[in-house]
Amino acid sequence: MKVTDRNSCWYAVYVRSRYEKKVHRMFLEKEVEAFLPLLETWRQWSDRKKKVSEPLFRGYVFVNIDMKAEHIKVLDTDGVVKFIGIGKTPSVISSRDIDWIKKLVREPDAVRRIVASLPPGQKVMVTAGPFKGLEGVVVKEGRESRLVVYFDRIMQGIEVSIYPELLSPIHAVGTEEQNETGFY
C-alpha cells in the first residue's frame, strides 16, 4: 500500500455488479490505497449455511488518490465503471466519513440495513459508546431506536441499532458544520 500524500483525497468508485472484492484486490496490486467496507453475514442455501463477507455498499469501492496523477490508473482497472460525483466532477469523500464507515464496519451487530434515502425524524448525536460523536436521524420502532447515518456524497445511508439513552437531540437545524461533514 502506498504512503498517503498531501494531494490525495478519498473518492467513491462505482464498479460492476459483484466486482467489489476483485476491484479492491486489483487496486491493492496496483498500489492504489483502497477501502472496501465488508460485513460478515450468514447466508442460507438449500444444502448449507455459511458465513460470508458482503460489501456494506454494493457497487462501491473507495480510493485515496491524487486525482490528477492517478485517476487513469483507477479507471483502467477491470470492473471499474466510473467515479461517483456530480456530472463529470468526482465527489470528494471526507476522511471523517471514511473513519465513520470504518467504525460502523467494526460493529457489525449494530448495522441493520442500508437505506437509499433519509427518513424524517429527530436529528440526534450519539453521546457515548463506539459511535460517540456520530450524527444521524432516529427511527423508532417499539422499544428499540435506530439511527440512520446518511452519507450524501454517495447517496447511501446505514441504519444502526442504538440504545435511546445514548442519544441527545440536535436542536440547530442545517448548521454549517453538519453540512460540511457530509452526514446528517
Side-chain angles (χ1 to χ4, degrees):
M1 195 181 305
K2 74 174 189 133
V3 177
T4 306
D5 61 39
R6 285 185 276 175
N7 296 325
S8 67
C9 295
W10 284 100
Y11 299 93
V13 177
Y14 184 68
V15 300
R16 287 178 53 191
S17 179
R18 301 196 164 279
Y19 265 63
E20 299 92 351
K21 291 178 185 177
K22 293 174 192 169
V23 169
H24 181 254
R25 188 184 70 247
M26 286 187 269
F27 283 156
L28 297 179
E29 289 171 1
K30 290 182 171 188
E31 297 184 353
V32 172
E33 184 179 356
F35 171 55
L36 176 60
L38 297 171
L39 283 179
E40 286 192 350
T41 59
W42 286 96
R43 295 294 307 249
Q44 177 72 48
W45 286 272
S46 60
D47 62 336
R48 63 189 167 11
K49 193 174 186 179
K50 184 177 179 183
K51 198 172 205 177
V52 295
S53 294
E54 293 185 344
L56 181 61
F57 301 107
R58 290 208 178 275
Y60 293 89
V61 177
F62 299 93
V63 293
N64 189 10
I65 61 168
D66 177 345
M67 183 57 79
K68 289 181 181 179
E70 298 177 283
H71 75 281
I72 297 297
K73 187 191 296 189
V74 170
L75 291 173
D76 197 29
T77 303
D78 185 38
V80 171
V81 176
K82 65 179 182 176
F83 282 96
I84 300 298
I86 300 170
K88 294 186 185 248
T89 307
S91 295
V92 174
I93 310 296
S94 72
S95 293
R96 183 175 177 190
D97 284 357
I98 296 296
D99 291 341
W100 279 120
I101 293 169
K102 287 177 180 178
K103 275 188 177 186
L104 290 169
V105 171
R106 285 193 299 266
E107 299 290 336
D109 294 335
V111 176
R112 293 294 180 215
R113 65 185 167 104
I114 305 300
V115 294
S117 63
L118 190 64
Q122 174 66 50
K123 288 186 179 183
V124 295
M125 179 181 287
V126 180
T127 58
F131 301 128
K132 183 177 180 178
L134 187 64
E135 296 176 5
V137 174
V138 171
V139 180
K140 291 189 179 187
E141 298 175 356
R143 292 182 160 174
E144 210 170 292
S145 288
R146 303 225 194 274
L147 178 68
V148 174
V149 183
Y150 191 71
F151 299 92
D152 63 345
R153 299 288 179 164
I154 60 171
M155 296 181 287
Q156 297 283 319
I158 301 171
E159 190 174 280
V160 180
S161 291
I162 195 156
Y163 293 112
E165 57 269 16
L166 299 178
L167 302 175
S168 174
I170 297 174
H171 298 290
V173 177
T175 64
E176 275 186 39
E177 183 180 336
Q178 287 173 321
N179 292 336
E180 287 177 8
T181 62
F183 40 51
Y184 299 88

